[in-house]
């Protein structure tokens, strides 16, 4: 089995006691309420060799609820891929809302773009093809962006999560929310290293380090929700 198939087999089960339980959750509570165009984008992504990277639909549903709870208008997304979480966000924020969406690879974004256009929400998205860190630093050069965002969703290279966090603690306003994806890394954070499949080991180590730093960060309230692949919700306190 090649590495992509191995990853897919590991991640697609979700984190619950069984794959059947995860399917139950998706089929009873998530898919019936998923907007039609999001389903279309999810179906288009399913044939991509790296489809497993798309944000889990149950995580997307929670993101939409969080956006509504805080009336988010200006948001940041790091890690777009084909655009599942991006479209979810764009469909949720108001007509005059804006998303700065950063990904170093535009190719996958182009796959979802026709659906984003069909949904009539492309005007809310500023897609930037770049490494994320310099873009966040550039945003910080404009004092108008400090405390200027309501929400951020981070779903990219795990090695930089803490560096993103340091920037986001200046970009996102007090009371704003930052959500990090994959904070349970297929459950590997609770496995002894020697029992962890090789393809998960590096991500496991990065995730353990990040989770430890976040748990000790007095600037945020946190909740690690065990849905999707684990998402940590941070509310900036000061
Ligand atoms: C897990 S996928 C994002 C999934 C997406 N949220 C969705 O709903 O489909 C991770 C993405 O992060 C991007 N990425 C990885 N490292 C990056 C970096 N340093 N800067 C910007 N994008 C990066 C990859 O190109 C990839 O598209
Ligand atoms: O299997 C993966 C891999 C990633 C990943 C790897 C390297 C990067 O620079 C970014 C992302 O992300 C994943 C992901 O977000 C997911 O939900 C499942 C699997 C993977």
């Amino acid at each position: 089995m090649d590495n992509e198939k191995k990853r897919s087999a590991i991640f697609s089960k979700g984190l619950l006691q069984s794959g059947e339980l995860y399917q139950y959750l998706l089929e009873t509570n998530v898919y019936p309420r998923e907007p039609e165009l999001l389903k279309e984008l999810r179906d288009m992504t399913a044939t991509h060799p790296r489809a497993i990277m798309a944000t889990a639909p149950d995580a997307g549903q929670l993101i939409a609820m969080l956006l509504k709870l805080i009336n988010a208008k200006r948001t940041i997304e790091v890690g777009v891929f084909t655009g599942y979480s991006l479209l979810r966000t764009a469909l949720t924020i108001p007509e005059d809302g804006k998303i700065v969406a950063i990904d170093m690879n535009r190719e996958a974004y182009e796959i979802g773009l026709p659906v984003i256009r069909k949904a009539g929400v492309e005007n809310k998205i500023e897609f930037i093809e770049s490494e994320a860190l310099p873009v966040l630093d550039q945003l910080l050069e404009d004092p108008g962006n400090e405390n200027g965002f309501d929400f951020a969703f981070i779903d990219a290279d795990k090695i930089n999560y803490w560096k993103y966090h340091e920037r986001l603690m200046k970009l996102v306003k007090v009371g704003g929310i930052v959500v990090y994806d994959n904070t349970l890394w297929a459950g590997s954070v609770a496995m002894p290293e020697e029992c962890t499949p090789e393809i998960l080991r590096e991500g496991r180590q990065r995730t353990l380090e990040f989770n430890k730093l976040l748990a000790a960060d007095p600037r945020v309230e946190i909740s690690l929700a065990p849905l999707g692949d684990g998402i940590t919700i941070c509310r900036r306190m000061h």
Side-chain angles (χ1 to χ4, degrees):
M1 214 193 292
D2 68 26
N3 273 353
E4 288 314 323
K5 290 210 175 91
K6 276 188 201 155
R7 271 177 201 282
S8 184
I10 292 170
F11 281 97
S12 61
K13 288 192 194 86
L15 293 163
L16 299 180
Q17 272 176 20
S18 66
E20 290 77 13
L21 185 54
Y22 188 39
Q23 281 310 308
Y24 167 82
L25 183 158
L26 292 172
E27 281 162 19
T28 59
N29 276 260
V30 181
Y31 294 153
R33 288 166 172 263
E34 188 183 40
E36 191 53 41
L37 289 168
L38 259 184
K39 179 183 172 345
E40 193 174 320
L41 194 149
R42 183 162 56 78
D43 288 345
M44 283 167 70
T45 304
T47 52
H48 191 286
R50 309 207 72 188
I52 197 63
M53 291 217 299
T55 297
D58 49 331
Q61 191 182 47
L62 183 64
I63 288 168
M65 186 180 289
L66 292 169
L67 288 164
K68 283 186 195 147
L69 283 171
I70 61 164
N71 296 317
K73 209 163 156 180
R74 284 191 81 200
T75 83
I76 296 174
E77 171 144 334
V78 176
V80 171
F81 188 44
T82 62
Y84 186 85
S85 52
L86 179 62
L87 179 57
R88 184 95 228 194
T89 302
L91 288 169
T92 307
I93 61 175
E95 195 45 49
D96 59 345
K98 288 276 177 273
I99 308 163
V100 176
I102 313 162
D103 200 299
M104 58 197 230
N105 168 15
R106 192 183 163 94
E107 214 178 296
Y109 174 58
E110 300 272 356
I111 296 171
L113 196 50
V115 186
I116 288 172
R117 290 198 174 122
K118 193 150 79 160
V121 291
E122 194 189 3
N123 59 312
K124 299 183 192 176
I125 298 167
E126 182 191 355
F127 180 86
I128 302 173
E129 184 180 20
S130 169
E131 288 276 345
L133 218 46
V135 176
L136 298 179
D137 283 336
Q138 213 176 327
L139 286 174
L140 276 168
E141 280 168 21
D142 176 352
N145 285 324
E146 224 168 277
N147 304 311
F149 293 86
D150 306 298
F151 184 92
F153 178 57
I154 309 303
D155 186 13
D157 48 339
K158 318 307 163 198
I159 194 165
N160 279 318
Y161 269 28
W162 188 253
K163 289 184 180 153
Y164 298 146
H165 186 67
E166 289 295 1
R167 273 75 176 172
L168 292 165
M169 286 302 100
K170 297 180 187 134
L171 290 165
V172 171
K173 61 178 65 159
V174 172
I177 284 179
V178 183
V179 174
Y180 294 97
D181 200 10
N182 306 109
T183 53
L184 293 175
W185 200 238
S188 66
V189 289
M191 292 172 189
E193 192 183 355
E194 61 279 13
C195 304
T196 305
E198 185 54 39
I199 50 166
L200 293 179
R201 282 197 190 177
E202 196 193 333
R204 170 186 173 276
Q205 194 51 40
R206 304 286 173 221
T207 308
L208 285 170
E209 286 159 14
F210 176 68
N211 287 348
K212 194 171 170 188
L213 287 168
L214 213 50
D217 184 352
R219 293 169 296 187
V220 287
E221 291 178 81
I222 57 170
S223 173
L224 201 177
L227 46 79
D229 187 36
I231 67 171
T232 300
I233 304 157
C234 305
R235 180 179 170 276
R236 187 176 164 205
M237 291 195 297
H238 47 77

